[in-house]
Amino acid sequence: MTAVGIDAVEIWTGNLKLDLPGTFAPEKGEDPEKYTKGLGLNASSFPDSYEDIVTMGANAAHRLMERKGLEPDDIGRIDVATESAFDNSKPVSTYVAGCLEQVYESDFHHANKGERKFACIAGTQSLDDAYNWIRAGRNRGRSALVIATDTALYARGDDGEATQGAGAVAMLISEDPNLVELSAEQGYGSADETDFLKPNQQFPSVDGKRSVQVYLARMREALEDYESVAGEVHPDDLVFAPFHTPFPGMVRKAALLAYRHITRNTEFEDELAEEIGRQPRPEAFDSDEEYRDALREYMDLLKDTEQYAEWYDTTIDPTLTIAREVGNWYTGSVHVARASALKHALEQDREMTGEQLLVGSYGSGAQAEIHSETVREGWAEEIEALNVDEQLAERYEMSWDDYEEIHDAHNHEMDVDVEEFTTPSEEFVFDGWGRMGERKYRYVE
Ligand code: CAA
């Protein structure tokens, strides 16, 4: 069977930066270490006043098409995953195609376009749709463009304000891909939950503490479901595990659970037994409560072992490097984590061809999905082409007053005009409103 997966990726970060320990924490009267150590974040990226989900998505896609030498005719499908859409009918992908058509001579009139919604997991679901479309033989030799784009803003004063972010990830899904092949095997953990939602409102209603528990519960279900089709996961099977990263501290919690799960009944558990005992098994306890207490105790000990710390440092920590500087990108977040890990491998001169990634996506509401990816021969060339470090370094750093202004500028309920902080160059920008309330865009040379 021909491999199908991600051929190329591009990242577009919002052009503004908010320093969380340096600027946000003092204004909130909080200890900066809550951000750096607790949540694991240094900064959030924000869109300038001329940026939104369309410009960021179109800019990422444009860069990707240029780099790969693609024309609109090479693309048979454009799916945008977002939870920041501003229209209940017209999909963001039509706006993105409209932008791209300004800079190419041909058009996307024969490409199937859509918008995917299931909170942050929609980016991965769009990958699935593209994968299935190619596997079904309906692509006529063409590739799919999947764009995950979000302005992950929370209402001022909401606990989630600390984890905001904005950016887009564009991915090209093709046969015989350069970057990673997607596994046919997948596992799901899905339940009707009200942890985070936006009932016809821009900013989310969030039960923050509960959302953390729901993330962990659904991710565990997804892992068990994945193992039921792919066989038990062993720590040696995977080189990196990119997870959905609303903030790195969340992944720290998920990783500990995952490690306990994948080391059960392995030599890793045997090696740890002398130091912290064996993992508690439910059959050894009279009540569920006693079992849960014992599990908690085991996890506390496990967290402090050298064996776990070493696994975390090599398998998980490299997935979080970019997230630390940009915050949550919702649908793009897990795809940023994959890029972050591969970028780390490249910087370490590590050969990755044939290695496995275990990818854990999550969307509130709630659903988790686990699949694996096999790194392909062209991975290093693709990752080398990323200019994310330059983009991060070039962001304008906002003062607290700037932040208050820009948050208002992106608040749909407010009608404020804010001067741009940066000067756009070689990118699409928001250019005002049309007669039917549609957004207009233009390309700035
Ligand atoms: N030094 C070191 N650590 C510190 C600290 C200090 N001075 N002060 C606090 N901390 C630690 C806390 O102990 C805590 O860590 P643990 O959870 O490991 O105990 C961490 O920093 C955060 O502190 P708080 O819990 O006090 O922070 P908070 O009350 O402001 O809320 C939050 C945190 C609930 C995650 C909030 O940011 C939030 O609601 N975020 C949005 C929802 C979210 O992202 N949920 C994640 C799962 S849902 C999902 O993944 C979908 C999605 O993308 C939204």
Side-chain angles (χ1 to χ4, degrees), residues 30-41 83 119-120 152 154 158-163 195-196 204 206-216 244-247 249-250 252-253 303 328-331 333 362-365:
E30 287 174 328
D31 182 349
E33 293 204 336
K34 168 180 167 182
Y35 295 84
T36 49
K37 296 209 168 132
L39 296 169
L41 288 167
E83 45 186 306
C120 310
Y154 290 76
D158 189 292
D159 286 346
E161 202 182 354
T163 64
D195 51 334
F196 170 113
V206 194
D207 185 342
K209 302 284 185 229
R210 190 171 144 60
S211 74
V212 170
Q213 296 313 317
V214 176
Y215 176 120
L216 296 174
H244 169 57
T245 312
F247 54 93
M250 179 71 243
R252 208 168 45 224
K253 293 180 203 291
K303 189 167 63 194
N328 195 356
W329 285 11
Y330 289 162
T331 53
S333 161
Y362 175 74
S364 294

Side-chain angles (χ1 to χ4, degrees), residues 48-217:
D48 204 337
S49 53
Y50 58 84
E51 293 187 285
D52 65 11
I53 49 170
V54 173
T55 66
M56 294 187 296
N59 287 322
H62 183 212
R63 198 163 185 275
L64 186 146
M65 287 183 67
E66 287 296 285
R67 179 164 73 73
K68 300 293 285 186
L70 299 171
E71 292 290 326
D73 286 348
D74 298 316
I75 307 293
R77 187 179 175 105
I78 306 178
D79 282 313
V80 170
T82 185
E83 45 186 306
S84 321
F86 45 77
D87 193 309
N88 287 324
S89 175
K90 184 174 158 58
V92 173
S93 50
T94 58
Y95 283 100
V96 169
C99 285
L100 294 171
E101 284 170 358
Q102 294 180 31
V103 294
Y104 288 100
E105 276 174 17
S106 54
D107 58 48
F108 294 97
H109 286 203
H110 301 298
N112 186 7
K113 306 178 190 98
E115 190 172 299
R116 248 298 186 171
K117 179 177 75 179
F118 194 150
C120 310
I121 202 173
T124 297
Q125 290 183 320
S126 300
L127 285 188
D128 281 350
D129 293 341
Y131 176 96
N132 295 337
W133 172 71
I134 293 173
R135 276 259 172 274
R138 293 177 133 181
N139 60 321
R140 297 186 239 156
R142 297 174 298 171
S143 299
L145 193 53
V146 166
I147 299 163
T149 180
D150 271 297
T151 47
L153 301 186
Y154 290 76
R156 295 293 311 282
D158 189 292
D159 286 346
E161 202 182 354
T163 64
Q164 298 176 123
V169 181
M171 291 169 278
L172 190 73
I173 317 309
S174 307
E175 278 173 277
D176 201 14
N178 265 356
L179 192 61
V180 290
E181 175 183 1
L182 304 179
S183 66
E185 294 81 12
Q186 297 173 286
Y188 292 101
S190 189
D192 177 10
E193 298 276 8
T194 46
D195 51 334
F196 170 113
L197 55 156
K198 297 181 180 178
N200 286 327
Q201 64 199 43
Q202 182 188 3
F203 300 129
S205 298
V206 194
D207 185 342
K209 302 284 185 229
R210 190 171 144 60
S211 74
V212 170
Q213 296 313 317
V214 176
Y215 176 120
L216 296 174

Side-chain angles (χ1 to χ4, degrees), residues 276-289:
I276 61 170
R278 302 194 75 77
Q279 295 191 21
R281 275 32 181 199
E283 55 276 14
F285 295 87
D286 291 334
S287 71
D288 196 46
E289 206 183 332

Side-chain angles (χ1 to χ4, degrees), residues 353-410:
T353 306
E355 299 286 13
Q356 301 283 314
L357 314 179
L358 189 75
V359 181
S361 305
Y362 175 74
S364 294
Q367 182 161 302
E369 187 261 11
I370 302 250
H371 68 264
S372 71
E373 297 179 0
T374 308
V375 180
R376 302 269 297 174
E377 212 178 335
W379 75 277
E381 194 189 327
E382 295 302 329
I383 295 299
E384 206 157 19
L386 288 177
N387 72 342
V388 62
D389 288 339
E390 288 87 332
Q391 290 186 47
L392 294 179
E394 280 168 15
R395 290 177 299 176
Y396 168 86
E397 187 169 333
M398 293 185 287
S399 67
W400 177 254
D401 289 348
D402 297 338
Y403 165 66
E404 293 202 299
E405 264 189 44
I406 208 74
H407 199 287
D408 286 352
H410 289 292

